Amino acid sequence: MSGNILVQNATMILPSSEAIGDLRVRAGIIDKIAPGGGLEPSSDETVIDASGLHLLPGAIDPHVHFRDPGQPEKEDLESGSRAAASGGITSFLDMPNNIPNAIDRPTIQAKLDLAARKCVTHHGFFVGATRGNLAGLKSVEGMDGVCGIKIFMGSSTGDLLVHEQSDLENIFSNTGGIIAVHAEDEQRLQDRFEHYKHRTDIAAHAEYRDSETAMIATKRAVSFAEDHDHRLHIVHLTSAEEADWLATKKGRLITTEVCVQHLTFDDKDMETLGTRGLVNPPIRYEEDKETLWRRLHDGTIDCVVTDHAPHTLESKSAGYPKSPAGMPGVETSLPLMLTHAAKGRCSVRDVVRWMSEGPAGVYGMDKKGSLIEGHDGDLVLVDLENWRTVTDSDTWTRVGWTPYHGMEMTGWPSFTIVDGRIVHTRESGGNLKGRSVSASGSTGRALKFRVI
Ligand code: DOR
Ligand code: ZN
């Protein structure tokens, strides 16, 4: 369902400028942008006085794991979508490692049906590659709500894995659209397992799943893409080596992303984070973190994502290496990036470029990602004056914890708006969780993707 809304007196982050003024959404579409203001309210619209707030296009998170179907104790499409909305994310793309995995038309359709009933935001789904599901991959090619193929080239959470040469050739040579690759080399992981399997200190994780493990798979994936002229997106880039190498490969064919946790944490933080900080690929070292920032600024990396991958605190308490890899993040990614901006790491415009425009461009999401007349009315109003300390109890994610517990952040969304309808509100002095105000399934649509 779409709505009419008038936002007045906002500091608007427009595609090439910043202006204080008004923005009107009619029937879910941005109808008028008025730098300087002056739009008169009409009786059939909701009016927001956004004095002191910044208006951004809704953030798009192209990498989440909402665990639906199969693991409702970790998340489902309702809790995940509400968590996303609370963090200013108006569209998300969800990964296929579910129970059952989303690997063909029936399993994808099942997720689309669940999402239509449960979500409050826009949504799209990856279809997962297996060793033998080429027909399944092809059966959803170009379907509304399907954003691309996901290949795990190294094993991670779940059992999706394709790393043999002939299987990968088969997928790259026989499919269209975009392939998103988790690039860690399975062979190297297996070869080194014996050597690392006795280590129980968390520092072993980044030593075991090292930069070379990531680099081998990234180079392999790029060579498949080049050989078959296939769009490729390398997900969650973590190492300086990959980022510097990809800088030489950028063009029409290859895009990439970085997770906000890899821009924020390094090995020193792992000592305090413990298994909460355990993710695949790992949190690495300061030099990697700094290079990832540099390669974001120079355009090598297209977007900032969360890889929101919730696991219960109980399973996380198993210690290393028994604990599963993954952390939640959709509620905090935009405030965290805006906090980095407030501290001088980047500008608010950069955040819009990396969290709205970038993902819309990578996945061909027309009329999304920018404040432009005629675009969809997906908006977020953030408060850059108010600093709040995050705690586990402030979270919407079903697992009830955040790796950022105790961290002070600014840029919390006061209003998140989907198709011109308010889906989440937060008062500056009130509960940091804010209020989720949209009924399940009443806002948000299956996204459409243009093949690029
Ligand atoms: O840390 C991770 N967790 N990396 C992945 O590749 C999967 C994810 C999950 O689903 O838990
Ligand atoms: Zn992931």
Side-chain angles (χ1 to χ4, degrees), residues 378-393:
D378 301 333
L379 313 170
V380 57
L381 277 160
V382 296
D383 185 350
L384 290 172
E385 301 304 320
N386 192 20
W387 288 76
R388 304 285 301 268
T389 301
V390 191
T391 67
D392 287 346
S393 57

Side-chain angles (χ1 to χ4, degrees), residues 102-108 127-143 146 149 167 170-176:
I103 52 168
D104 54 19
R105 197 158 184 123
T107 46
I108 284 285
V127 59
T130 72
R131 290 199 70 179
N133 76 332
L134 189 61
L137 299 181
K138 291 181 78 64
S139 73
V140 297
E141 208 170 290
M143 186 175 164
V146 178
I149 295 169
D167 294 332
N170 200 18
I171 297 167
F172 274 86
S173 60
N174 288 301
T175 61

